[in-house]
Amino acid sequence: MASCHSLTMIESRLTGDPLDLKMFEWTDWQLEEGAREEGNRFDELAPTVVHPRGSSPPPELTIGIVRQFPFASKMQRMSVVTRGLEDSTFSLFVKGAPEIIQSLCVEGVPDDFAEILQQFTARGYRVIAVGYRELPWNYVRVQRATREQLDSELRFLGLVVLENRLKPPVTTSKRR
């Protein structure tokens, strides 16, 4: 959840989808964008990095966001290609509608996936699934690959279960 989002910094403030903001805040990581000066805007391979909060994060926990596919309603998912500062391969993370992520996974989906999902949704929870894939490709191949080529052969990582709590005024209105 620290890297699979569409958040950005605007005037030193983290902005983006409210759900992405909440999930990112929960990780207690921070996002840093590279310098956006006119002369070097396109010189950086991973202009956005995420890492645990702190003044000097360990290099093995510093992750560059190399490529991003924003959430598309038609596809019901979003994905990012990342590379750890000390990693030799790229990683792909995909999150979205559980049924969609399940259909993209070739391993890790529990046999009782449908029952588990039904239990959470029947109680009114919002559920997001997450998948993952190692990409032992070079940078050029990562950049040239289509979304369909990337968002395939995933390993199921799990479900993120969220509760939408009613705000107090809405709760009062509902009781009337």
Side-chain angles (χ1 to χ4, degrees), residues 61-81:
L61 292 179
T62 300
I63 300 168
I65 300 173
V66 177
R67 192 165 179 202
Q68 180 184 84
F69 294 96
F71 180 81
S73 297
K74 182 179 172 185
M75 299 179 123
Q76 298 182 24
R77 67 181 187 267
M78 75 151 307
S79 53
V80 293
V81 176

Side-chain angles (χ1 to χ4, degrees), residues 16-157:
D17 179 78
L19 184 59
D20 279 348
L21 280 168
K22 286 289 184 195
M23 288 190 292
F24 186 76
E25 287 170 1
W26 177 84
T27 67
D28 201 32
W29 280 39
Q30 66 187 60
L31 179 139
E32 293 180 10
E33 290 185 334
R36 297 286 188 203
E37 298 162 12
E38 196 62 36
N40 72 348
R41 228 173 17 173
F42 303 104
D43 294 341
E44 299 177 42
L45 294 180
T48 301
V49 296
V50 293
H51 56 77
R53 238 175 243 297
S55 56
S56 59
E60 66 272 9
L61 292 179
T62 300
I63 300 168
I65 300 173
V66 177
R67 192 165 179 202
Q68 180 184 84
F69 294 96
F71 180 81
S73 297
K74 182 179 172 185
M75 299 179 123
Q76 298 182 24
R77 67 181 187 267
M78 75 151 307
S79 53
V80 293
V81 176
T82 66
R83 186 169 185 171
L85 189 61
E86 295 190 342
D87 291 344
S88 59
T89 61
F90 295 92
S91 300
L92 173 83
F93 293 94
V94 184
K95 73 176 181 185
E99 298 85 357
I100 299 298
I101 301 304
Q102 176 193 25
S103 73
L104 298 172
C105 290
V106 294
E107 64 179 296
V109 178
D111 293 334
D112 58 349
F113 175 84
E115 293 82 29
I116 293 169
L117 181 59
Q118 170 60 27
Q119 288 173 5
F120 287 123
T121 57
R123 289 190 250 157
Y125 292 111
R126 182 168 180 187
V127 182
I128 297 172
V130 183
Y132 164 83
R133 176 181 175 191
E134 281 292 317
L135 299 170
W137 302 349
N138 64 32
Y139 181 79
V140 173
R141 184 170 177 197
V142 164
Q143 292 301 319
R144 289 185 178 165
T146 66
R147 186 170 191 173
E148 291 71 26
Q149 290 170 324
L150 291 166
D151 291 1
S152 64
E153 300 178 25
L154 302 179
R155 174 167 179 45
F156 182 76
L157 290 181

